[in-house]
Amino acid sequence: MTSKTTAANANLPLFPSSTPVPLAGETRIAFRPIHYLGSKLRLVETILETIEQVELPHGSACDLFAGSGTVSLALAHGRDVIAVDIQEYSRVVCSAMLRQSWDTALGESLLADVRRSAHLEKLAQALEPLLSYEERCIEDAVAGNPDPLCELVEQGSLLAHARKSPEKISTGLEKALASTSRRLARGDLDSHPGTLTTRYFGGVYFSFRQTLQLDALLERVHAFPTRERDYYLAPVLSTASEIVNTVGKQFAQPIRPRDSEGRPKHHLTRQIIRDRSLETFDVFANWMARYQQLPRTQHHHKVLRLDYQEFLSQFDGRLGVVYADPPYTRDHYSRFYHVLETMCLRDNPEVSTMRLGGHELLSRGFYRVDRHQSPFCIKSQAPGAFARLFAGVRRLESPLVLSYSPYQKDEGARPRLMTVESIVALAREHFRDVDVQSVGRYAHNKFNQHQLNTRVFYDSEVLIVCRP
């Protein structure tokens, strides 16, 4: 399948396509399926070299917090891999990358089927008032009046409108939201999973034209059997990650298009227009081609949606090595990817609320109430989480390679909940040998018993290597 590029996105940078990375006679690839917080894409070679130094000659390699799957995919070209993560979007993306079994004929017909689908037509008719209104907002912004577009980004949520948000909006936006809501209700689409992306995230994270196309894709893909569903759902998630209209291309919160005085930020207005000009179907076709071009492997891989504790306590096989990259700050990763999680689950989730000015409002990010709260991101729970991680891996008698990003106060980084020294001290309670290796420009740094009581400076990511 060939990908298309519209004039609107012809000059915009896309994600890196698969790139062969040779090492030790093998072909390794660097592939970024989504914009991911703390991605190890640039460090993958160093991580693989370290893993090769300690892995046992038997058993699979386990990527215990697989996330976007970049390390899992790199590992997969030399050994069997078990990718584990508690988030469904991670399971979907890793499945598509590791357990490749593309039906070429199905893929080639998929987009054509969606373009002529009754669901797409029905949804487009229901959304016509908002589609027309958004188009006028963009035209006004191009002509020098960005205020209506800023308001659409701030207040243009069908979900908030349905919950009767007390926040005041312009007559034009109110009419467009009300008219569209009535049309959705008449078509029995007001709570249908096939309109979920539009109802929850349209106007705020994406344009409504983009969400109606995302919903049309999801409606078709979710009708596939589970195995095929993963292969084609993953490119939809990658598409959403590319076209989302936020700073940094994450989903932690919608863009703030005005400054503290209420004046439009013109550089963000330009970004809004640029992002919302991206054609969903064209970007999706591009991503399908990228996934299908990933090299096949001769190894056997498993992808599991499990909490790390569940996996470590339940697994009864042999592991050659465990790689772990848990979060280290109070920022829960689920906050950055809840939109992708909802697109996978399609479950009309309850959205968290906040109190503001005496009113209860939906959270700005439209976060799921049930989004995962990692113990590694809670100061009082982090030491126990690491202790359980170390004990679980030690039970399996496997070496562990743990990623960690030190905190530099003078760089304004997010404070870490635990220091390198405290993590190493916990690891030493379970492993006979623990050392710390810098992946920056400095040589390896190792802790001995004396150094545990001194401050050690690292300028970059480090790997904590634990041998049973």
Side-chain angles (χ1 to χ4, degrees):
M1 176 177 293
T2 57
S3 60
K4 302 175 183 178
T5 305
T6 64
N9 64 20
N11 297 318
L12 296 177
L14 298 176
F15 289 179
S17 57
S18 357
T19 305
V21 184
L23 180 68
E26 296 178 357
T27 298
R28 278 104 181 233
I29 56 176
F31 183 81
R32 181 173 66 177
I34 60 175
H35 285 278
Y36 196 73
L37 181 70
S39 171
K40 295 299 180 287
L41 188 67
R42 295 180 181 178
L43 304 176
V44 71
E45 276 302 312
T46 301
I47 291 170
L48 292 179
E49 289 175 354
T50 302
I51 285 173
E52 287 173 345
Q53 293 170 13
V54 299
E55 68 180 327
L56 303 176
H58 62 265
S60 303
C62 175
D63 186 358
L64 197 54
F65 302 86
S68 63
T70 54
V71 174
S72 291
L73 183 62
L75 286 168
H77 292 270
R79 58 196 58 78
D80 296 345
V81 169
I82 302 174
V84 181
D85 200 284
I86 198 168
Q87 298 278 274
E88 176 67 3
Y89 75 85
S90 174
R91 188 201 63 78
V92 169
V93 169
C94 290
S95 292
M97 293 192 299
L98 298 182
R99 301 167 62 188
Q100 303 156 1
S101 181
W102 294 92
D103 183 330
T104 304
L106 180 62
E108 290 177 348
S109 65
L110 170 61
L111 197 49
D113 291 345
V114 171
R115 287 182 183 276
R116 59 172 177 260
S117 68
H119 184 73
L120 177 65
E121 182 179 359
K122 188 177 181 180
L123 186 52
Q125 290 174 352
L127 288 177
E128 195 280 329
L130 273 173
L131 293 173
S132 296
Y133 182 79
E134 185 170 48
E135 186 174 341
R136 290 196 298 273
C137 289
I138 292 175
E139 290 174 351
D140 286 348
V142 171
N145 177 22
D147 285 292
L149 182 59
C150 291
E151 183 194 35
L152 179 67
V153 173
E154 295 167 328
Q155 309 290 345
S157 164
L158 282 164
L159 184 65
H161 185 265
R163 301 288 179 89
K164 302 187 185 305
S165 171
E167 296 183 280
K168 296 184 182 298
I169 58 176
S170 66
T171 301
L173 179 56
E174 166 61 32
K175 287 182 177 179
L177 287 167
S179 178
T180 298
S181 296
R182 289 192 295 269
R183 292 186 181 207
L184 288 169
R186 285 198 300 267
D188 293 325
L189 296 171
D190 52 338
S191 61
H192 193 284
T195 63
L196 188 148
T197 310
T198 296
R199 289 183 288 110
Y200 277 68
F201 310 119
V204 181
Y205 284 105
F206 309 96
S207 76
F208 283 103
R209 187 167 302 282
Q210 288 171 329
T211 59
L212 81 86
Q213 294 184 352
L214 286 171
D215 274 327
L217 286 167
L218 290 168
E219 182 74 359
R220 180 72 184 96
V221 168
H222 274 282
F224 293 158
T226 301
R227 189 178 181 89
E228 286 79 8
R229 183 189 311 150
D230 287 346
Y231 299 139
Y232 297 102
L233 180 53
V236 180
L237 302 183
S238 297
T239 298
S241 182
E242 181 172 339
I243 68 176
V244 65
N245 185 197
T246 59
V247 176
K249 294 291 183 179
Q250 39 72 19
F251 301 92
Q253 61 181 357
I255 207 165
R256 292 183 182 271
R258 305 179 200 260
D259 62 21
S260 59
E261 302 296 324
R263 295 169 300 205
K265 301 174 184 176
H266 292 291
H267 70 288
L268 289 183
T269 300
R270 291 191 293 271
Q271 179 184 328
I272 292 168
I273 295 171
R274 182 174 66 249
D275 286 342
R276 295 183 182 220
S277 72
L278 294 172
E279 289 291 336
T280 304
F281 288 153
D282 291 343
V283 176
F284 173 73
N286 193 349
W287 273 109
M288 271 212 304
R290 294 182 186 192
Y291 276 92
Q292 291 174 346
Q293 290 165 6
L294 287 172
R296 304 292 192 269
T297 75
Q298 300 302 314
H299 298 279
H300 301 285
H301 310 302
K302 295 180 181 178
V303 182
L304 305 173
R305 184 187 176 193
L306 281 176
D307 177 73
Y308 79 102
Q309 285 182 256
E310 290 181 88
F311 174 78
L312 293 175
S313 63
Q314 295 175 9
F315 186 72
D316 59 0
R318 308 178 78 180
L319 294 177
V321 67
V322 174
Y323 172 73
D325 182 28
Y328 294 99
T329 72
R330 63 182 177 85
D331 296 307
H332 293 275
Y333 274 34
S334 59
R335 177 169 165 256
F336 292 81
Y337 310 104
H338 66 101
V339 173
L340 302 182
E341 189 75 356
T342 299
M343 290 171 67
C344 291
L345 300 177
R346 300 181 90 211
D347 55 355
N348 283 314
E350 189 64 30
V351 171
S352 63
T353 59
M354 59 183 181
R355 297 291 299 181
L356 187 65
H359 298 287
E360 186 175 59
L361 306 176
L362 294 178
S363 55
R364 284 196 70 246
F366 299 92
Y367 305 122
R368 303 174 60 94
V369 168
D370 65 349
R371 66 186 178 88
H372 176 61
Q373 304 292 295
S374 171
F376 291 94
C377 297
I378 302 171
K379 188 172 184 178
S380 62
Q381 298 181 26
F386 276 105
R388 290 187 291 274
L389 168 63
F390 294 140
V393 177
R394 184 64 183 86
R395 181 188 73 82
L396 298 173
E397 298 185 349
S398 169
L400 169 68
V401 176
L402 181 73
S403 281
Y404 179 81
S405 300
Y407 163 54
Q408 301 298 328
K409 285 187 178 181
D410 56 353
E411 293 179 2
R414 296 294 261 178
R416 297 333 187 217
L417 300 184
M418 293 186 66
T419 64
V420 176
E421 291 88 345
S422 60
I423 293 173
V424 169
L426 278 175
R428 283 187 178 276
E429 295 178 10
H430 300 275
F431 295 91
R432 66 172 176 82
D433 182 63
V434 178
D435 69 78
V436 180
Q437 302 182 5
S438 169
V439 300
R441 62 179 179 270
Y442 297 124
H444 289 179
N445 295 282
K446 295 187 177 183
F447 282 120
N448 55 35
Q449 291 299 328
H450 172 72
Q451 288 173 319
L452 283 175
N453 299 314
T454 62
R455 181 180 181 273
V456 179
F457 177 78
Y458 297 97
D459 71 331
S460 63
E461 183 95 8
V462 300
L463 299 174
I464 301 174
V465 182
C466 310
R467 297 174 177 83

